[in-house]
Amino acid sequence: MQKGKNKDQIMAKVQRSNYLPYLQQYLDTQSDEDGVVLEVACGICQERKLDISKSARKFTPSSEPAAEHLERHRHFISYLKHGLERTVALPCGHVFGDRCISDLLAQGTDLGCPSCGFKMSYQGCGHIIRPAPVPVDGYEPIRDLFPLTMPEGGNDPQNCTECRWKQIRSNIRYALSDECILCRRRNSSHIPLDLAEHRKHRERHINVQVRQALDEMVALVWPEFITRETELSAVKAATDNEHRQIQVSLLNAMVLSELDETLWYRTKASKTTSNLTKEQQRKHSRAVASIEQCLLGWFVNFPRQLRRTW
């Protein structure tokens, strides 16, 4: 025991909770000699120690490249030898061992948090929410490398990755249609159509609403950088937002240059604008396909190690 410190003082510096709001501020300070020590066991098995623990950090550095077939499990043998477990977080704020949570998922039943019962399914689509890995790498900062939990101010999980892409495609079909969607809806509701009114809302759609729709699509592809406050988080957020706006501007320029003549062109308000030529149809289809492929490329290649949403 250290001189001048009693047992209670030393024990008060050890945090054993598996609740992120209580321990997240200590995730990046485990190299400090006099800081609060994390020693967290998996709350399911109550045996294996989570790798966010201070005593586990020396077994987690990835300074040496792993063999190709062990890239995702570079510390497998070391973890087994020392009774460690990779840490994963749930939206409710609790952390557990990866293998224990994976075993629960494999049972194929609705997963609830073992600590609080939070239902691990998306509110919008109902699919299972996959736990977020906490990417421990020695004593490297990790607080802004996994999403905010709900108790920390994170958003309620709405849709899984697959359903987000379906939503993006639906937005594309609406925003980049060659038929005026507003006129079609009015016609379906038996509201009289007016050519001058059509031209007015078509112009507004091209000049204002398309940009707004592209903003929403890119936000689904590239979620906003919202995380715990760290020394670099504000800079990362600003840089990320600037990059996202550049992508939106590029897409908007593509739309205006390729689809200006055909976007929301067809309308039953006028016989002369009810059809497109075959060449116009081909040009419109190619442009929409190109924009969709661009969004899909960003969506697929978005860096998964920087997971921002549930």
Side-chain angles (χ1 to χ4, degrees):
M1 186 178 298
Q2 299 179 31
K3 185 177 181 181
K5 295 183 179 181
N6 60 39
K7 183 177 180 180
D8 290 338
Q9 288 177 315
I10 295 175
M11 292 301 292
K13 296 180 64 176
V14 178
Q15 177 61 265
R16 302 184 186 277
S17 171
N18 75 327
Y19 191 49
L20 270 173
Y22 294 162
L23 57 84
Q24 62 85 15
Q25 65 266 37
Y26 308 122
L27 290 174
D28 293 348
T29 62
Q30 292 306 289
S31 61
D32 297 349
E33 291 296 330
D34 298 323
V36 172
V37 174
L38 295 181
E39 293 298 341
V40 185
C42 173
I44 299 175
C45 66
Q46 300 292 334
E47 296 178 356
R48 291 188 286 269
K49 183 178 294 184
L50 301 186
D51 60 1
I52 58 173
S53 302
K54 183 180 181 73
S55 60
R57 294 298 183 94
K58 60 184 176 181
F59 304 112
T60 64
S62 57
S63 56
E64 296 183 4
E68 183 177 351
H69 63 288
L70 290 177
E71 180 60 36
R72 294 182 58 191
H73 309 284
R74 62 171 69 232
H75 306 307
F76 182 70
I77 296 177
S78 180
Y79 275 44
L80 284 179
K81 180 179 178 181
H82 299 283
L84 306 180
E85 189 65 61
R86 290 191 177 278
T87 307
V88 294
L90 307 188
C92 57
H94 291 104
V95 293
F96 299 97
D98 183 29
R99 279 183 290 176
C100 289
I101 285 292
S102 296
D103 288 344
L104 291 179
L105 286 172
Q107 294 176 10
T109 57
D110 291 339
L111 176 63
C113 172
S115 289
C116 69
F118 174 82
K119 188 176 181 181
M120 290 291 291
S121 60
Y122 291 98
Q123 294 184 9
C125 63
H127 294 137
I128 292 177
I129 301 175
R130 295 287 173 179
V134 179
V136 176
D137 183 8
Y139 296 100
E140 293 296 316
I142 56 176
R143 290 177 65 218
D144 60 1
L145 298 182
F146 62 100
L148 278 178
T149 61
M150 292 169 60
E152 297 175 275
N155 297 326
D156 292 350
Q158 293 297 318
N159 292 294
C160 67
T161 301
E162 181 180 351
C163 292
R164 277 168 45 215
W165 176 245
K166 289 180 180 178
Q167 184 178 348
I168 292 169
R169 295 197 67 189
S170 176
N171 292 349
I172 292 173
R173 288 193 292 270
Y174 171 84
L176 305 184
S177 173
D178 62 352
E179 180 183 8
C180 178
I181 304 300
L182 188 55
C183 283
R184 185 172 69 187
R185 289 176 176 175
R186 289 183 174 184
N187 186 58
S188 299
S189 301
H190 305 290
I191 299 175
L193 302 178
D194 180 80
L195 183 57
E197 188 69 21
H198 160 72
R199 289 171 177 166
K200 184 178 179 180
H201 62 241
R202 178 178 185 267
E203 181 179 354
R204 173 174 172 75
H205 180 70
I206 292 174
N207 295 329
V208 179
Q209 294 174 344
V210 166
R211 173 76 188 215
Q212 293 174 348
L214 292 174
D215 261 321
E216 293 174 0
M217 293 181 212
V218 173
L220 290 170
V221 171
W222 198 316
E224 185 179 0
F225 188 86
I226 302 175
T227 186
R228 302 159 189 87
E229 292 185 6
T230 65
E231 293 181 359
L232 299 177
S233 59
V235 176
K236 288 182 179 180
T239 302
D240 194 72
N241 183 63
E242 180 181 358
H243 192 98
R244 184 167 53 251
Q245 291 305 314
I246 290 173
Q247 305 308 318
V248 173
S249 296
L250 289 174
L251 285 176
N252 195 53
M254 289 175 63
V255 170
L256 295 180
S257 64
E258 299 293 332
L259 300 175
D260 182 53
E261 296 180 357
T262 58
L263 193 66
W264 277 34
Y265 175 81
R266 294 190 296 114
T267 175
K268 291 185 179 181
S270 171
K271 294 181 179 179
T272 59
T273 56
S274 59
N275 294 301
L276 296 172
T277 66
K278 290 184 178 180
E279 179 58 32
Q280 286 177 317
Q281 291 175 357
R282 285 194 292 267
K283 180 181 178 181
H284 185 93
S285 297
R286 286 196 299 267
V288 172
S290 177
I291 292 169
E292 183 174 321
Q293 285 299 311
C294 185
L295 285 167
L296 179 60
W298 294 344
F299 192 75
V300 171
N301 295 318
F302 184 82
R304 299 302 176 189
Q305 71 272 22
L306 300 179
R307 183 171 172 181
R308 302 176 183 181
T309 61
W310 299 97

